[in-house]
Amino acid sequence: MVLINYWIFVIIIILFCVIIPRKNRYYLGVIKRKKKGMKRIMPKELLEEFMGKVCIIALFNDSFGVQGKIVDVQDNWIKVEEKNKVRIINGDMIRDISIAPEKYQK
């Protein structure tokens, strides 16, 4: 019983000392780049392949991401059309973009 409680305590310490600070370091880097005036420009040539297709966009601060059709890409922003709404997503917060399976394409 004592051994199990010990491991739970160790896992909680690792969570608070390693995993959470690593995630926060990324956000601090984004804020520092913006203060210095540096921009990470998204390559429009790569995103042209995804234009007009239903894609799944994973974000750093969102656990589920966004699924919708990519309509437009300008500067560092992506316009995504979902079923009932249109979203504009900041390119700095995007972790991954993948094309949805063929059955979701309309």
Side-chain angles (χ1 to χ4, degrees), residues 2-89:
V2 173
L3 189 61
I4 294 173
N5 290 337
Y6 174 75
W7 283 108
I8 291 172
F9 184 68
V10 169
I11 290 171
I12 290 172
I13 288 176
I14 290 173
L15 177 73
F16 284 109
C17 293
V18 176
I19 296 172
I20 293 174
R22 186 177 295 169
K23 185 177 177 183
N24 290 339
R25 230 178 291 142
Y26 171 78
Y27 293 124
L28 289 175
V30 170
I31 292 169
K32 286 179 184 177
R33 281 196 309 267
K34 285 184 179 182
K35 283 183 180 179
K36 290 181 181 179
M38 296 170 47
K39 279 185 143 179
R40 191 179 80 182
I41 299 173
M42 296 180 57
K44 192 166 185 171
E45 296 82 25
L46 290 174
L47 290 173
E48 285 179 1
E49 179 183 338
F50 296 104
M51 296 275 259
K53 295 183 180 177
V54 177
C55 296
I56 301 167
I57 301 172
L59 305 173
F60 280 106
N61 61 353
D62 195 7
S63 57
F64 298 109
V66 177
Q67 182 173 355
K69 185 184 290 188
I70 296 179
V71 180
D72 192 23
V73 178
Q74 290 185 4
D75 293 333
N76 210 26
W77 297 89
I78 296 179
K79 186 176 183 181
V80 178
E81 189 176 280
E82 293 179 304
K83 288 182 181 179
N84 300 327
K85 58 185 172 183
V86 175
R87 280 189 174 189
I88 298 177
I89 301 172

